[in-house]
Amino acid sequence: MKAISGAPARALAPAVEWITLACIAGCYAAWGGALFGLAAGFPALGWALAAIAIAFHSSLTHEVLHGHPFRSTFWSEMTMCLPLGLAVPYGRFRDLHLAHHRDANLTDPYDDPETNYLDPVVWARLPRWKRALFRVNNTLAGRILIGPALGQALFLQAEWRLARAGDRAVRRAWRLHLAGGAVVLAMVLLSPMPLWAYLAACYAALGLLRIRTFLEHQAHEKVRGRTVIIEDRGPLALLFLNNNLHVVHHMHPGVPWYRLPALYRAGKARFVAINDGYLYRSYGQVFRQYLFRAKDPVVHPLWRGR
Protein backbone atom coordinates (compact mmCIF):
# COMPACT_ATOMS: atom_id res chain seq x y z
CA MET A 1 0.00 0.00 0.00
CA LYS A 2 1.45 3.31 -1.03
CA ALA A 3 0.83 6.17 1.39
CA ILE A 4 -0.18 9.36 -0.31
CA SER A 5 1.67 12.40 0.99
CA GLY A 6 -0.27 14.78 3.20
CA ALA A 7 1.42 17.85 1.70
CA PRO A 8 -1.14 18.54 -1.07
CA ALA A 9 -4.00 18.16 1.39
CA ARG A 10 -2.35 20.60 3.80
CA ALA A 11 -1.69 23.10 1.01
CA LEU A 12 -5.43 23.18 0.26
CA ALA A 13 -6.45 23.24 3.92
CA PRO A 14 -7.72 26.42 5.60
CA ALA A 15 -5.35 28.41 7.79
CA VAL A 16 -7.38 27.24 10.81
CA GLU A 17 -9.48 24.08 10.92
CA TRP A 18 -12.19 25.42 13.20
CA ILE A 19 -13.88 22.06 13.74
CA THR A 20 -10.72 20.52 15.13
CA LEU A 21 -9.90 23.64 17.14
CA ALA A 22 -13.40 23.53 18.66
CA CYS A 23 -12.84 19.88 19.58
CA ILE A 24 -9.57 20.78 21.30
CA ALA A 25 -11.28 23.57 23.27
CA GLY A 26 -14.15 21.23 24.14
CA CYS A 27 -11.74 18.54 25.29
CA TYR A 28 -9.97 20.86 27.71
CA ALA A 29 -13.33 22.21 28.92
CA ALA A 30 -14.59 18.67 29.58
CA TRP A 31 -11.35 17.79 31.38
CA GLY A 32 -11.57 20.91 33.56
CA GLY A 33 -15.26 20.29 34.21
CA ALA A 34 -14.53 16.74 35.30
CA LEU A 35 -11.81 17.84 37.73
CA PHE A 36 -13.25 21.05 39.15
CA GLY A 37 -16.98 20.46 38.68
CA LEU A 38 -18.23 16.89 38.67
CA ALA A 39 -15.47 15.45 40.87
CA ALA A 40 -16.84 17.27 43.92
CA GLY A 41 -20.53 16.30 43.73
CA PHE A 42 -20.53 13.36 41.35
CA PRO A 43 -17.10 11.69 41.66
CA ALA A 44 -17.93 8.63 39.52
CA LEU A 45 -19.20 10.82 36.68
CA GLY A 46 -16.22 13.12 37.04
CA TRP A 47 -13.85 10.17 36.84
CA ALA A 48 -15.58 8.77 33.73
CA LEU A 49 -15.59 12.15 31.98
CA ALA A 50 -11.91 12.66 32.83
CA ALA A 51 -11.03 9.27 31.30
CA ILE A 52 -12.98 10.05 28.12
CA ALA A 53 -11.44 13.54 27.87
CA ILE A 54 -7.93 12.12 28.27
CA ALA A 55 -8.57 9.50 25.56
CA PHE A 56 -10.04 12.17 23.28
CA HIS A 57 -6.98 14.34 23.92
CA SER A 58 -4.81 11.50 22.62
CA SER A 59 -6.91 11.32 19.44
CA LEU A 60 -6.50 15.06 19.02
CA THR A 61 -2.76 14.72 19.58
CA HIS A 62 -2.74 12.32 16.66
CA GLU A 63 -4.43 14.99 14.51
CA VAL A 64 -1.90 17.58 15.58
CA LEU A 65 1.15 15.50 14.68
CA HIS A 66 -0.36 15.09 11.21
CA GLY A 67 -0.51 18.86 10.72
CA HIS A 68 -3.80 20.07 12.20
CA PRO A 69 -5.54 22.37 13.15
CA PHE A 70 -3.14 25.16 12.09
CA ARG A 71 -0.81 25.36 9.12
CA SER A 72 1.83 26.40 11.64
CA THR A 73 3.38 23.36 13.30
CA PHE A 74 4.36 25.46 16.31
CA TRP A 75 0.83 26.67 17.05
CA SER A 76 -0.67 23.25 16.42
CA GLU A 77 1.76 21.64 18.85
CA MET A 78 1.14 24.36 21.43
CA THR A 79 -2.44 23.12 21.71
CA MET A 80 -1.05 19.83 23.04
CA CYS A 81 1.45 21.30 25.51
CA LEU A 82 -0.40 19.79 28.48
CA PRO A 83 0.02 15.97 28.51
CA LEU A 84 -3.32 15.12 30.10
CA GLY A 85 -2.63 11.38 29.93
CA LEU A 86 0.84 11.67 31.52
CA ALA A 87 2.11 8.50 29.84
CA VAL A 88 3.80 9.46 26.55
CA PRO A 89 5.69 12.64 25.64
CA TYR A 90 4.23 14.43 22.62
CA GLY A 91 7.59 14.51 20.85
CA ARG A 92 8.03 10.76 21.21
CA PHE A 93 4.46 10.02 20.11
CA ARG A 94 5.02 12.22 17.06
CA ASP A 95 8.34 10.69 16.06
CA LEU A 96 7.31 7.10 16.67
CA HIS A 97 3.95 7.46 14.99
CA LEU A 98 5.40 9.07 11.89
CA ALA A 99 7.91 6.20 11.75
CA HIS A 100 4.92 3.84 11.94
CA HIS A 101 3.55 5.51 8.80
CA ARG A 102 6.35 3.97 6.73
CA ASP A 103 3.90 1.42 5.44
CA ALA A 104 6.53 -0.97 4.10
CA ASN A 105 7.49 -1.66 7.74
CA LEU A 106 3.97 -2.24 9.08
CA THR A 107 3.88 -5.11 11.63
CA ASP A 108 7.68 -5.47 11.50
CA PRO A 109 8.68 -6.56 15.06
CA TYR A 110 11.63 -4.15 14.98
CA ASP A 111 10.93 -1.31 12.56
CA ASP A 112 7.24 -0.68 13.28
CA PRO A 113 7.11 1.13 16.65
CA GLU A 114 3.40 0.32 17.10
CA THR A 115 3.34 -3.40 16.34
CA ASN A 116 2.34 -6.04 18.89
CA TYR A 117 4.01 -8.92 17.05
CA LEU A 118 7.21 -10.47 18.37
CA ASP A 119 10.13 -12.08 16.59
CA PRO A 120 9.93 -15.90 17.08
CA VAL A 121 13.48 -15.84 18.44
CA VAL A 122 12.51 -13.29 21.11
CA TRP A 123 9.38 -15.29 21.97
CA ALA A 124 11.38 -18.48 22.44
CA ARG A 125 13.57 -16.76 25.06
CA LEU A 126 10.69 -15.45 27.19
CA PRO A 127 9.85 -17.13 30.50
CA ARG A 128 6.43 -18.76 30.76
CA TRP A 129 4.88 -15.99 32.84
CA LYS A 130 5.80 -13.38 30.22
CA ARG A 131 4.38 -15.53 27.46
CA ALA A 132 1.16 -15.81 29.44
CA LEU A 133 0.96 -12.02 29.75
CA PHE A 134 1.45 -11.55 26.02
CA ARG A 135 -1.20 -14.18 25.25
CA VAL A 136 -3.75 -12.45 27.49
CA ASN A 137 -2.77 -9.14 25.92
CA ASN A 138 -3.72 -10.54 22.52
CA THR A 139 -7.41 -10.72 23.45
CA LEU A 140 -9.43 -7.52 23.38
CA ALA A 141 -10.27 -7.80 27.10
CA GLY A 142 -6.61 -8.31 27.90
CA ARG A 143 -5.55 -5.43 25.70
CA ILE A 144 -7.95 -3.12 27.57
CA LEU A 145 -7.16 -4.37 31.08
CA ILE A 146 -3.44 -5.18 31.10
CA GLY A 147 -2.40 -3.65 27.77
CA PRO A 148 -1.75 -0.18 29.21
CA ALA A 149 0.58 -1.54 31.91
CA LEU A 150 2.41 -3.92 29.58
CA GLY A 151 2.72 -1.35 26.80
CA GLN A 152 3.93 1.39 29.14
CA ALA A 153 6.51 -0.89 30.73
CA LEU A 154 7.94 -1.85 27.34
CA PHE A 155 7.85 1.76 26.15
CA LEU A 156 9.68 3.10 29.22
CA GLN A 157 12.26 0.34 28.94
CA ALA A 158 13.03 1.32 25.34
CA GLU A 159 13.04 5.03 26.17
CA TRP A 160 15.46 4.54 29.07
CA ARG A 161 17.88 2.70 26.80
CA LEU A 162 17.77 5.54 24.24
CA ALA A 163 18.16 8.23 26.89
CA ARG A 164 21.11 6.45 28.47
CA ALA A 165 22.71 6.13 25.04
CA GLY A 166 22.57 9.92 24.73
CA ASP A 167 19.67 10.37 22.29
CA ARG A 168 19.09 14.13 22.49
CA ALA A 169 15.65 14.07 20.88
CA VAL A 170 14.41 11.56 23.44
CA ARG A 171 15.88 13.54 26.35
CA ARG A 172 14.39 16.79 25.10
CA ALA A 173 10.95 15.21 24.62
CA TRP A 174 11.00 13.89 28.17
CA ARG A 175 12.15 17.22 29.64
CA LEU A 176 9.24 19.00 27.98
CA HIS A 177 6.89 16.20 29.00
CA LEU A 178 7.92 16.37 32.65
CA ALA A 179 7.40 20.13 32.70
CA GLY A 180 3.93 19.82 31.19
CA GLY A 181 3.12 16.85 33.41
CA ALA A 182 4.03 18.89 36.48
CA VAL A 183 1.45 21.51 35.48
CA VAL A 184 -1.20 18.82 34.95
CA LEU A 185 -0.47 17.21 38.31
CA ALA A 186 -0.53 20.60 40.06
CA MET A 187 -4.00 21.24 38.63
CA VAL A 188 -5.15 17.79 39.73
CA LEU A 189 -3.87 18.42 43.26
CA LEU A 190 -5.79 21.71 43.34
CA SER A 191 -9.00 19.98 42.23
CA PRO A 192 -11.46 17.89 44.27
CA MET A 193 -10.41 14.76 42.35
CA PRO A 194 -7.95 12.58 44.33
CA LEU A 195 -4.64 11.94 42.63
CA TRP A 196 -5.20 8.17 42.70
CA ALA A 197 -8.52 8.65 40.89
CA TYR A 198 -6.88 10.78 38.22
CA LEU A 199 -4.15 8.23 37.65
CA ALA A 200 -6.84 5.56 37.36
CA ALA A 201 -8.60 7.74 34.77
CA CYS A 202 -5.33 7.97 32.80
CA TYR A 203 -5.08 4.18 32.86
CA ALA A 204 -8.70 3.79 31.76
CA ALA A 205 -8.09 6.22 28.89
CA LEU A 206 -5.18 4.09 27.68
CA GLY A 207 -7.46 1.06 27.86
CA LEU A 208 -10.08 2.83 25.72
CA LEU A 209 -7.47 3.72 23.14
CA ARG A 210 -6.40 0.10 22.88
CA ILE A 211 -9.83 -0.76 21.50
CA ARG A 212 -8.79 1.25 18.44
CA THR A 213 -5.29 -0.13 18.12
CA PHE A 214 -6.26 -3.75 18.83
CA LEU A 215 -6.56 -4.84 15.20
CA GLU A 216 -5.50 -1.78 13.20
CA HIS A 217 -2.85 -3.87 11.45
CA GLN A 218 -2.43 -7.53 10.62
CA ALA A 219 0.39 -9.66 9.29
CA HIS A 220 -0.09 -9.97 5.54
CA GLU A 221 2.24 -10.80 2.69
CA LYS A 222 1.17 -7.65 0.86
CA VAL A 223 1.70 -4.25 2.46
CA ARG A 224 -1.68 -3.05 1.23
CA GLY A 225 -3.45 -5.85 3.11
CA ARG A 226 -2.12 -4.91 6.54
CA THR A 227 -4.41 -2.01 7.50
CA VAL A 228 -8.00 -2.32 8.67
CA ILE A 229 -11.33 -0.66 7.94
CA ILE A 230 -13.92 -0.62 10.73
CA GLU A 231 -17.16 0.91 9.41
CA ASP A 232 -18.28 2.20 12.80
CA ARG A 233 -20.13 5.52 13.04
CA GLY A 234 -20.91 5.46 16.76
CA PRO A 235 -19.38 7.01 19.89
CA LEU A 236 -16.10 5.14 19.56
CA ALA A 237 -15.60 6.41 16.01
CA LEU A 238 -16.04 9.94 17.33
CA LEU A 239 -13.72 9.29 20.27
CA PHE A 240 -11.09 7.99 17.84
CA LEU A 241 -11.75 10.79 15.31
CA ASN A 242 -12.62 8.35 12.52
CA ASN A 243 -9.26 6.63 12.75
CA ASN A 244 -11.23 3.39 12.56
CA LEU A 245 -11.19 4.02 8.78
CA HIS A 246 -7.53 3.27 9.15
CA VAL A 247 -6.56 2.36 5.62
CA VAL A 248 -8.03 5.68 4.46
CA HIS A 249 -5.92 7.51 7.01
CA HIS A 250 -2.75 5.65 6.02
CA MET A 251 -3.30 6.41 2.35
CA HIS A 252 -4.23 10.04 3.02
CA PRO A 253 -2.43 11.00 6.25
CA GLY A 254 -2.82 14.74 5.64
CA VAL A 255 -6.62 14.63 5.38
CA PRO A 256 -8.34 15.87 8.58
CA TRP A 257 -10.48 13.47 10.58
CA TYR A 258 -13.82 15.00 9.63
CA ARG A 259 -13.25 14.35 5.91
CA LEU A 260 -12.32 10.68 6.21
CA PRO A 261 -15.91 9.26 6.16
CA ALA A 262 -16.83 11.08 2.93
CA LEU A 263 -13.53 10.06 1.37
CA TYR A 264 -14.25 6.44 2.34
CA ARG A 265 -17.82 6.50 1.01
CA ALA A 266 -16.67 7.96 -2.29
CA GLY A 267 -14.07 5.22 -2.82
CA LYS A 268 -15.28 2.32 -0.67
CA ALA A 269 -14.86 -0.37 -3.34
CA ARG A 270 -11.32 0.81 -4.05
CA PHE A 271 -10.30 0.92 -0.37
CA VAL A 272 -11.74 -2.55 0.34
CA ALA A 273 -9.95 -3.94 -2.71
CA ILE A 274 -6.70 -2.27 -1.68
CA ASN A 275 -6.68 -3.76 1.83
CA ASP A 276 -7.79 -7.17 0.56
CA GLY A 277 -11.11 -7.09 2.42
CA TYR A 278 -9.69 -6.54 5.92
CA LEU A 279 -12.96 -5.03 7.14
CA TYR A 280 -15.31 -5.07 10.13
CA ARG A 281 -18.78 -3.55 10.19
CA SER A 282 -18.55 -2.08 13.70
CA TYR A 283 -16.73 -2.19 17.00
CA GLY A 284 -19.63 -4.33 18.20
CA GLN A 285 -18.51 -7.02 15.79
CA VAL A 286 -14.95 -6.70 17.06
CA PHE A 287 -16.09 -7.11 20.68
CA ARG A 288 -18.27 -10.11 19.84
CA GLN A 289 -15.47 -11.91 18.03
CA TYR A 290 -12.41 -11.05 20.08
CA LEU A 291 -13.31 -9.96 23.60
CA PHE A 292 -11.95 -13.20 25.07
CA ARG A 293 -10.29 -14.67 21.99
CA ALA A 294 -7.04 -13.72 20.31
CA LYS A 295 -7.29 -12.47 16.75
CA ASP A 296 -3.58 -12.98 16.03
CA PRO A 297 -0.70 -14.98 17.47
CA VAL A 298 1.88 -13.11 19.51
CA VAL A 299 4.64 -14.37 17.22
CA HIS A 300 4.65 -12.75 13.79
CA PRO A 301 3.25 -15.56 11.59
CA LEU A 302 5.12 -14.46 8.46
CA TRP A 303 8.40 -13.32 9.99
CA ARG A 304 11.47 -14.57 8.14
CA GLY A 305 14.07 -12.77 10.21
CA ARG A 306 16.69 -10.39 8.91
Side-chain angles (χ1 to χ4, degrees), residues 216-270:
E216 278 184 343
H217 300 285
Q218 66 173 350
H220 196 285
E221 288 283 2
K222 298 177 181 177
V223 172
R224 63 182 180 84
R226 295 175 188 170
T227 306
V228 78
I229 297 166
I230 303 176
E231 295 179 322
D232 198 284
R233 300 296 297 139
L236 286 177
L238 178 59
L239 182 66
F240 304 147
L241 293 178
N242 296 323
N243 214 19
N244 48 295
L245 303 173
H246 208 54
V247 75
V248 186
H249 168 64
H250 266 258
M251 292 182 67
H252 302 274
V255 172
W257 65 275
Y258 51 85
R259 290 182 180 167
L260 293 178
L263 190 59
Y264 175 65
R265 288 192 300 270
K268 176 177 176 178
R270 181 173 70 95

Side-chain angles (χ1 to χ4, degrees), residues 107 109 115-120 122-123 126 130-139 143 150 219 294-301 303:
T107 76
T115 190
N116 286 287
Y117 291 110
L118 295 182
D119 182 333
V122 173
W123 174 256
L126 293 180
K130 280 191 178 180
R131 291 189 188 186
L133 277 180
F134 278 106
R135 287 193 181 103
V136 171
N137 187 57
N138 256 25
T139 67
R143 192 67 58 86
L150 181 60
K295 175 190 169 290
D296 295 311
V298 180
V299 174
H300 197 297
W303 187 246

Side-chain angles (χ1 to χ4, degrees), residues 34-228:
L35 265 64
F36 294 95
L38 288 175
F42 305 92
L45 286 177
W47 179 87
L49 181 58
I52 291 169
I54 293 165
F56 192 49
H57 187 267
S58 179
S59 296
L60 289 164
T61 301
H62 174 260
E63 283 295 298
V64 165
L65 67 84
H66 279 294
H68 314 283
F70 299 108
R71 288 180 184 170
S72 164
T73 299
F74 173 80
W75 289 114
S76 291
E77 293 189 345
M78 281 299 293
T79 66
M80 295 292 111
C81 63
L82 292 181
L84 303 190
L86 299 176
V88 180
Y90 170 80
R92 296 303 294 143
F93 182 24
R94 178 196 60 215
D95 295 347
L96 292 170
H97 184 73
L98 293 178
H100 164 77
H101 267 268
R102 299 182 188 117
D103 284 348
N105 294 334
L106 286 175
T107 76
D108 185 302
Y110 297 100
D111 292 334
D112 180 0
E114 297 184 13
T115 190
N116 286 287
Y117 291 110
L118 295 182
D119 182 333
V121 174
V122 173
W123 174 256
R125 294 171 180 165
L126 293 180
R128 288 184 180 180
W129 68 269
K130 280 191 178 180
R131 291 189 188 186
L133 277 180
F134 278 106
R135 287 193 181 103
V136 171
N137 187 57
N138 256 25
T139 67
L140 181 55
R143 192 67 58 86
I144 294 169
L145 295 173
I146 71 167
L150 181 60
Q152 190 68 12
L154 294 171
F155 171 68
L156 290 176
Q157 204 173 56
E159 292 293 285
W160 177 247
R161 285 197 297 266
L162 291 171
R164 285 192 66 185
D167 191 311
R168 292 184 179 181
V170 170
R171 291 182 175 185
R172 180 177 183 275
W174 276 99
R175 283 197 299 269
L176 292 173
H177 179 71
L178 292 173
V183 175
V184 171
L185 289 174
M187 295 178 72
V188 172
L189 292 174
L190 290 172
S191 78
M193 182 175 289
L195 179 59
W196 67 263
Y198 187 78
L199 295 177
C202 290
Y203 192 92
L206 289 173
L208 281 173
L209 292 167
R210 272 158 175 74
I211 299 171
R212 174 179 63 77
T213 61
F214 176 66
L215 43 61
E216 278 184 343
H217 300 285
Q218 66 173 350
H220 196 285
E221 288 283 2
K222 298 177 181 177
V223 172
R224 63 182 180 84
R226 295 175 188 170
T227 306
V228 78

